[in-house]
Amino acid sequence: MDGRIAKARVLMELGRFAGARELLGEVLAGDPENAVALADMAEVAFRLREYGRALEFSAAALRRTPEDTFVWRVRALAELALARDASLGPVVVREHRAAAVAAARRAVEIDPENADNLRILAATLRDEDPVAALQKLAAALEVDPDNVGVYLLRGLILRRNLRGPDSLRLAEEAFRAVLRLDPENAEALYELALIDLERGNRAAGEEQLRRVARLDPEYGDAVRENLEWLAREDDRLAAAARATAETTRPAGRDYGPSSTVAARPAGKPLRGRRYGWAIAALVFLIVRLAAAGVAHDSGSRSTTPSRLPSNYLQSQIRIPSFPNWPRQTFQVPPISQPKPSS
């Protein structure tokens, strides 16, 4: 293998994709049919979000090595990225989605015992058929029970694509399996933070979000957006509580500190005292209940608003939903495998 290709792969691991592209371009300038350089150039283009170029380079590589499942996986991911671009129109989106599934299926046909082939096929199926996607992931775990990417994708599908009664619990199990294998996996930690917030574990969710931002700066914008939304919700609920308290005051009464009460004439019975205290107690109770809805509570009782912002259910962060690249392997101890969802 050309030494420049090896150097380009090191640069890719460091995230220096422009430098990798330059080296691979030098190789292809002298040998335009170099299948390895073409395959790696397809990867670089995908990493740079140049999905059309990724398809061009992958097609050129497959003309030389049609059985290379790595190239088929790159092609499937590039097609899937284009399928998620709604601006292309529904017809074109459907075409790219079908092409993504076809490319992923071709990889599985060539090597059905490769967990990454099954994982990428599941990624192409998750939006249209999440149950089938989970079945592919279950098969992938039978092949490789320590594949971090498989557990991560399983959790994402359970939390975002399936909202059944057990989906959230099973998603949490999948993300915790990721952390047993990769304790500082930012995406799994981020998803667990959102699960805490969905369940009303406000303090735990906020702390976890801040930890994610410290571990991976690329999550900074997403974390900041969530924390700012929570702060706005606090302000909104506090204002609603104040408004509720105001509307519960009897008309014509002023309970402020400057209010004065006329002296009761001597010898006159205090009529309605019992009812006056009852009304005052009722007002106090309503105010306390309203205030309780906005107070921060570090205990188990939920104080998180029931309607979460849209990015809780579909985050728009720059990290791809299947971040572990197909070439990666993981040498880690085996762990118990969660039961696949039916």
Side-chain angles (χ1 to χ4, degrees):
M1 184 175 65
D2 193 306
R4 289 170 294 183
I5 296 177
K7 291 180 181 178
R9 289 184 176 180
V10 171
L11 290 175
M12 282 189 278
E13 291 177 2
L14 297 173
R16 296 168 58 183
F17 301 112
R21 178 165 56 185
E22 183 177 348
L23 286 173
L24 293 171
E26 292 177 5
V27 175
L28 292 173
D31 183 6
E33 299 299 313
N34 188 307
V36 176
L38 288 168
D40 285 0
M41 191 68 96
E43 175 182 354
V44 168
F46 176 82
R47 293 289 196 172
L48 292 172
R49 299 190 172 196
E50 298 173 357
Y51 303 124
R53 295 289 287 165
L55 292 177
E56 293 173 6
F57 283 116
S58 63
L62 288 170
R63 285 195 292 269
R64 297 295 305 271
T65 54
E67 303 294 296
D68 188 337
T69 60
F70 170 76
V71 181
W72 281 111
R73 291 197 298 270
V74 174
R75 190 168 184 83
L77 292 175
E79 293 282 12
L80 181 60
L82 292 170
R84 289 178 169 167
D85 184 355
S87 67
L88 298 176
V91 174
V92 176
V93 164
R94 284 196 298 272
E95 291 174 352
H96 282 299
R97 187 174 299 282
V101 174
R105 288 193 188 282
R106 180 58 185 144
V108 173
E109 289 172 1
I110 295 169
D111 186 359
E113 296 301 312
N114 185 302
D116 284 319
N117 290 345
L118 293 163
R119 174 171 64 87
I120 299 304
L121 177 56
T124 65
L125 294 172
R126 64 175 284 197
D127 294 332
E128 299 294 320
D129 193 348
V131 173
L134 289 177
Q135 292 170 349
K136 299 301 179 185
L137 293 178
L141 288 174
E142 291 179 2
V143 174
D144 182 3
D146 302 332
N147 192 304
V148 171
V150 172
Y151 283 117
L152 185 58
L153 183 56
R154 174 179 166 80
L156 291 169
I157 291 172
L158 287 164
R159 199 181 83 76
R160 302 190 184 191
N161 299 93
L162 291 174
R163 304 296 290 180
D166 294 328
S167 295
L168 204 61
R169 177 181 60 81
L170 294 173
E172 181 181 13
E173 289 180 2
F175 293 132
R176 295 204 181 282
V178 172
L179 296 180
R180 286 195 294 272
L181 295 163
D182 181 7
E184 295 190 349
N185 187 290
E187 188 159 8
L189 290 167
Y190 180 80
E191 295 295 329
L192 286 171
L194 300 188
I195 288 175
D196 278 336
L197 292 173
E198 284 191 54
R199 288 174 171 167
N201 300 330
R202 172 70 174 271
E206 288 187 358
E207 181 181 358
Q208 186 88 304
L209 284 175
R210 293 187 175 92
R211 180 187 176 195
V212 170
R214 290 192 298 270
L215 284 173
D216 190 342
E218 292 196 26
Y219 280 84
D221 290 341
V223 169
R224 184 165 48 254
E225 180 182 347
N226 282 283
L227 294 177
E228 289 174 353
W229 185 87
L230 288 169
R232 289 195 300 271
E233 283 297 290
D234 283 345
D235 292 341
R236 184 183 67 80
L237 292 174
R242 289 192 296 270
T244 300
E246 290 293 333
T247 57
T248 57
R249 293 181 179 179
R253 291 289 186 91
D254 182 3
Y255 291 93
S258 62
S259 64
T260 58
V261 179
R264 180 170 56 90
K268 294 278 188 178
L270 183 60
R271 293 189 177 182
R273 171 183 289 179
R274 188 186 324 172
Y275 303 106
W277 279 109
I279 292 172
L282 178 61
V283 170
F284 178 76
L285 178 61
I286 292 173
V287 172
R288 286 295 302 274
L289 289 174
V294 298
H296 287 273
D297 185 354
S298 60
S300 61
R301 192 161 68 87
S302 171
T303 59
T304 301
S306 59
R307 187 181 63 82
L308 297 172
S310 60
N311 66 343
Y312 279 4
L313 302 180
Q314 186 63 48
S315 65
Q316 299 300 318
I317 56 178
R318 191 159 62 85
I319 309 297
S321 297
F322 28 85
N324 299 292
W325 193 245
R327 284 197 193 279
Q328 288 184 290
T329 57
F330 302 91
Q331 302 298 326
V332 290
I335 63 171
S336 59
Q337 176 179 327
K339 183 180 179 181
S341 174
S342 59

